[in-house]
Amino acid sequence: MKKLFLLTFILFSVVSFSQTKKIKILSTELSTADESKYPGATILIGKVKMSHEGATLDCKRALLYKDKNLFKAIGEVIIEQGDSIIQYSDFATYNGNTKKAKSWGNVEINDKEMTLKTDTLHFDRINQVLYYPNGGTIRDTKNTLKSVKGTYLLREKKFTAKTKVTVVNPENHLESNHLDYYTNTNLAYLYGPSTITNLKDSTKVYSERGFYDTNTDVSYFVKRAKLFLKERTVSADSLYYDKRNGFASATNNIKVVDTVQNMVAKGNYAELYELKDSLFIIDRAVAISVFEKDSMHVAGDKILLTGKPEKRIARIFNNVKIFKSDLQGKCDSIHSSQETGLTRMFKNPILWSNKSQITGDSIQLVSNKETNKLDSLKVLQNGFMIQQDSVHTENFNQIKGRNIYGKFEKGELRTMLVKGNAESLYYSNNEKTQELETITKEIASDIEFILEDGEIIQTKYFKKSEGKTFPPSEFPSDEKKFKGFLWRGDEQPLTVEDIFIKDATSTVPSKRKKQPDVVKEAKEMFIEETSKNKKEQKKLNLKKIK
C-alpha cells in the first residue's frame, strides 16, 4: 500500500512538473552569458521582455536561469498580469515553477480598485495574494491605508493589515492593530484594539471587534465598545453608531458618563440622538449622581435625558426607586432640571431619611447648581413624617401639616419646618429602663425641629394652640395614629440592588425595545463576514498541515 502511494505521488509530481510552462523571452537587445560570474544564467541586456502564463515582465537587465525556470530582473521592472494588475519596482525575482515573485525598491502596484506602495512585495500568482512585510500604503478612491505588514487578496479585493494600521480620509482617522479592508466596498472589519476619530469634531469610537463602513460613516462594534462625545462617554457590550445621522444604539452593560453633570446612567439597552441632545435607557435603567463622597441611584423602567448640559432635563418613568446611604425614595415618575436644580417626584411619592418616613402629594428635592449638592426638600400638600420607635415598634412618632420644608447640610437632612395646621405626636421612653413613660400631642400653626443622625433633638412651636402630655394608660387608643397614617417601611430600598426589584403591581414591558432595522442589518453583516473569515482561516490552516 505504501509503495502504491509513493508511486502515485511520484507520478503526480512528474506530471505536474512536465505541465509547468517555461519562461519565454519575447525580446532583448543583447543576450549573452558569463559562466564564471553567473553560472547557468542567460544574461539579457536592454529592453528585456519576458512572459509566463498570462503575465509579462519588462526591465532593463535580467538573468534567466532556464533550468530552474527562474529569472532576476534589474532596473525599471514592470510586471503585468493581463488587464488586472501592473507592478513597478527597481528589482524583482520570479520563479516560474512556483509562480511566486519578489519585488523590492520603490515597489508600486495598481489594479482597478487601488494603488499599493511598499519597499518589498511578495506576489503569489497561484493564490493571487500580495504580501509586504516592512510597511506599505494602499490608496483607493476613498481611503489611504498604512500598516507595517499587509496581505492583499486580488480576487476578493480584500486587504488584511496588521501592526500600526491606519485608514485615513478627509473625515475620519482609523487606527488599529488588525483589520480587513475591502477596496471595492470600502468596508473595514476590525479584529483588535481600534479607534476611529472624526477629524471635524474629535468624536471618537473605540472597540476591539466590529466593522466600519467608510462610505456611510456607520460602525458596529461587539467587544469593549466605547463612544466618546463632547460631554458624554458611552460604553457597552455592543454599539451601533451612525455618525452622520447622530444616532447610536447600545446593548448590554451600558454605561453613559456625563462629564459635565458628574452623572452616570446605566442599563441594558439605550438609544442616543446626538443632534437632538437626547438619550433614553431601558432594562435595569439607573441614573447615578455623585454628591460629595456619596452617590444617589435612581432606577426606573425608562430614563430619558434631553437638552444641552446646562439645560438638561432628566425624566425617569414608572416604578421609580431611589437609593442613597442616608436617603431613599419611591414614586411613579421623576422630572429633574439641571437649569433650576429642581427634582420633582410624582404619584404617591415617599422618602426615607435615616429613621424618618416622609410623604405628601408632591415631593421636591432642590440641588445647588454650582456645587451639585442636595440643598433642600419640599413636601407639598398633606405633608406627613413618621418615625418608628426602635424599642416599642408598635409606636410611631408623627408630624403632620400642610407643607414640610427641609434643609440639607453635608448631604444629611438637618432642619425641618412643618408649615400650616401642624400636629405632632411623640412617644417618650425612660432612658434607663426604656419603658414607655409619656405620650405628647401638640397642635400648632407651624413646627420647626432639628435632626441629628436622624433623631429629633430640638423642637420649636409657632402659635401653639393646644397640647397635652398623657400617661400611656390615659391616651385614647383611637388617637395613636393621625388621619392618613400609612407606614410603608417594607417598601424602603435598603441596598442598591433593591431599587431594581419591581413591585407586584409593576407593568414593566416583558420585552426589550426592538432594535432599529439598521442595527439588525449591521449585526447580520458583521456575523456573516466573521463566519466567512473563520472558514478562510480554517482552509489556510489545513494547507499548512498538508
Side-chain angles (χ1 to χ4, degrees):
M1 186 67 181
K2 290 182 179 178
K3 291 181 179 180
L4 180 61
F5 175 78
L6 183 60
L7 180 61
T8 304
F9 178 77
I10 292 170
L11 287 171
F12 177 78
S13 300
V14 170
V15 171
S16 298
F17 183 78
S18 65
Q19 289 178 344
T20 302
K21 294 182 179 180
K22 294 293 183 178
I23 299 169
K24 294 180 181 179
I25 302 172
L26 299 181
S27 65
T28 182
E29 291 181 342
L30 177 64
S31 177
T32 184
D34 186 343
E35 285 296 321
S36 62
K37 196 172 182 178
Y38 304 108
T42 300
I43 303 171
L44 307 173
I45 301 173
K47 296 182 181 180
V48 181
K49 190 177 186 69
M50 292 179 284
S51 69
H52 185 257
E53 296 193 17
T56 61
L57 179 141
D58 294 80
C59 64
K60 284 187 173 182
R61 298 178 64 192
L63 298 175
L64 176 62
Y65 296 85
K66 293 181 180 179
D67 293 342
K68 296 179 181 179
N69 205 23
L70 173 74
F71 73 76
K72 297 179 180 180
I74 305 167
E76 297 181 9
V77 183
I78 302 173
I79 299 176
E80 293 185 69
Q81 181 178 270
D83 61 352
S84 58
I85 66 165
I86 182 169
Q87 176 184 314
Y88 306 91
S89 65
D90 294 335
F91 308 95
T93 61
Y94 179 73
N95 189 319
N97 298 328
T98 61
K99 291 187 181 180
K100 290 183 178 179
K102 179 183 177 181
S103 305
W104 65 96
N106 300 308
V107 181
E108 180 178 322
I109 188 166
N110 299 300
D111 72 359
K112 295 177 181 178
E113 309 294 340
M114 64 86 198
T115 297
L116 166 61
K117 290 183 179 182
T118 184
D119 180 70
T120 303
L121 183 71
H122 298 266
F123 182 17
D124 181 348
R125 291 189 61 211
I126 294 175
N127 295 306
Q128 289 293 285
V129 175
L130 299 168
Y131 169 71
Y132 61 82
N134 301 313
T137 301
I138 281 187
R139 287 185 174 86
D140 60 19
T141 55
K142 178 70 178 178
N143 301 290
T144 298
L145 186 152
K146 294 182 180 181
S147 69
V148 174
K149 297 179 181 180
T151 302
Y152 186 64
L153 307 182
L154 288 165
R155 295 191 188 99
E156 293 84 356
K157 307 297 182 184
K158 174 183 173 182
F159 177 72
T160 298
K162 294 182 179 180
T163 312
K164 296 182 180 179
V165 188
T166 61
V167 180
V168 179
N169 59 49
E171 295 178 352
N172 296 287
H173 182 96
L174 166 62
E175 294 182 358
S176 180
N177 68 358
H178 182 191
L179 62 75
D180 287 345
Y181 177 76
Y182 289 82
T183 56
N184 58 341
T185 62
N186 306 124
L187 293 179
Y189 291 83
L190 314 173
Y191 299 100
S194 306
T195 302
I196 303 169
T197 304
N198 185 277
L199 300 177
K200 293 181 180 179
D201 61 9
S202 299
T203 300
K204 290 185 179 181
V205 188
Y206 171 86
S207 181
E208 295 181 12
R209 193 167 187 184
F211 92 92
Y212 171 51
D213 187 338
T214 66
N215 297 308
T216 61
D217 219 359
V218 169
S219 50
Y220 178 71
F221 304 110
V222 295
K223 185 178 180 181
R224 295 178 183 173
K226 277 189 177 183
L227 171 61
F228 299 89
L229 302 174
K230 288 182 180 179
E231 296 97 13
R232 290 188 179 118
T233 300
V234 183
S235 59
D237 287 354
S238 64
L239 176 70
Y240 171 91
Y241 183 44
D242 182 344
K243 172 61 183 174
R244 293 180 187 174
N245 290 312
F247 171 77
S249 170
T251 308
N252 293 332
N253 296 311
I254 298 159
K255 184 178 181 180
V256 181
V257 180
D258 192 316
T259 54
V260 176
Q261 292 184 298
N262 201 22
M263 187 188 80
V264 176
K266 295 182 179 181
N268 284 318
Y269 183 78
E271 290 184 8
L272 184 146
Y273 299 85
E274 192 177 356
L275 303 179
K276 296 181 180 179
D277 282 296
S278 65
L279 163 76
F280 79 79
I281 304 177
I282 60 174
D283 195 355
R284 283 181 67 89
V286 59
I288 306 167
S289 299
V290 179
F291 295 103
E292 295 183 2
K293 296 180 181 180
D294 201 0
S295 296
M296 178 182 287
H297 295 70
V298 185
D301 294 347
K302 182 178 181 179
I303 295 175
L304 176 61
L305 304 174
T306 57
K308 298 288 184 182
E310 64 278 4
K311 294 186 177 182
R312 187 153 291 158
I313 300 293
R315 299 176 180 88
I316 306 176
F317 300 99
N318 309 121
N319 305 296
V320 176
K321 291 185 180 180
I322 301 168
F323 181 84
K324 190 173 177 285
S325 62
D326 55 3
L327 186 71
Q328 298 83 44
K330 180 181 174 182
C331 62
D332 178 71
S333 57
I334 278 180
H335 181 285
S336 182
S337 168
Q338 178 68 15
E339 186 176 21
T340 62
L342 181 64
T343 298
R344 293 181 289 169
M345 303 171 65
F346 298 99
K347 198 173 181 181
N348 298 321
I350 181 170
L351 285 177
W352 293 271
S353 177
N354 287 317
K355 299 177 182 179
S356 301
Q357 173 186 292
I358 304 166
T359 57
D361 290 356
S362 173
I363 294 180
Q364 299 179 2
L365 292 165
V366 182
S367 298
N368 185 307
K369 292 184 290 181
E370 294 181 1
T371 63
N372 200 35
K373 297 176 183 178
L374 279 176
D375 178 78
S376 55
L377 166 72
K378 297 178 182 180
V379 184
L380 306 178
Q381 299 300 317
N382 297 311
F384 211 134
M385 181 172 169
I386 306 172
Q387 286 187 343
Q388 187 177 35
D389 193 301
S390 58
V391 178
H392 306 282
T393 55
E394 72 279 4
N395 297 330
F396 296 88
N397 296 325
Q398 300 159 59
I399 298 173
K400 182 181 177 183
R402 186 183 302 115
N403 301 318
I404 299 176
Y405 302 94
K407 194 74 174 176
F408 290 92
E409 290 183 15
K410 295 181 179 180
E412 292 188 4
L413 198 56
R414 288 285 293 166
T415 60
M416 299 283 282
L417 174 63
V418 183
K419 197 164 182 63
N421 301 325
E423 300 177 72
S424 66
L425 181 65
Y426 289 103
Y427 293 82
S428 299
N429 300 325
N430 184 285
E431 290 185 4
K432 293 182 179 180
T433 64
Q434 293 298 311
E435 291 184 2
L436 180 61
E437 286 187 332
T438 60
I439 302 174
T440 301
K441 184 176 182 181
E442 301 281 359
I443 298 176
S445 172
D446 305 326
I447 302 175
E448 183 183 74
F449 51 94
I450 298 174
L451 298 94
E452 189 174 284
D453 297 327
E455 298 279 1
I456 296 174
I457 60 171
Q458 185 177 332
T459 306
K460 184 178 181 180
Y461 295 91
F462 299 88
K463 298 181 182 179
K464 185 176 177 182
S465 59
E466 60 179 278
K468 187 176 180 181
T469 299
F470 300 85
S473 59
E474 296 181 10
F475 189 75
S477 59
D478 60 346
E479 294 185 19
K480 286 187 175 182
K481 294 178 182 177
F482 288 153
K483 184 178 179 181
F485 175 94
L486 178 62
W487 180 246
R488 297 168 62 184
D490 58 341
E491 299 177 41
Q492 181 180 4
L494 301 177
T495 66
V496 173
E497 276 302 310
D498 288 347
I499 63 178
F500 298 108
I501 299 173
K502 302 302 179 184
D503 298 332
T505 57
S506 173
T507 57
V508 184
S510 59
K511 293 184 178 179
R512 180 184 293 174
K513 178 180 171 65
K514 186 179 178 182
Q515 290 184 339
D517 289 340
V518 287
V519 181
K520 184 180 178 182
E521 289 170 6
K523 186 176 181 180
E524 289 174 350
M525 183 185 295
F526 178 72
I527 291 172
E528 181 182 355
E529 181 59 29
T530 302
S531 177
K532 189 193 301 179
N533 284 345
K534 284 181 179 178
K535 289 178 181 178
E536 288 177 359
Q537 188 60 46
K538 192 173 181 181
K539 287 180 181 178
L540 289 173
N541 290 337
L542 286 172
K543 287 180 181 178
K544 289 177 183 178
I545 293 169
K546 290 177 181 178

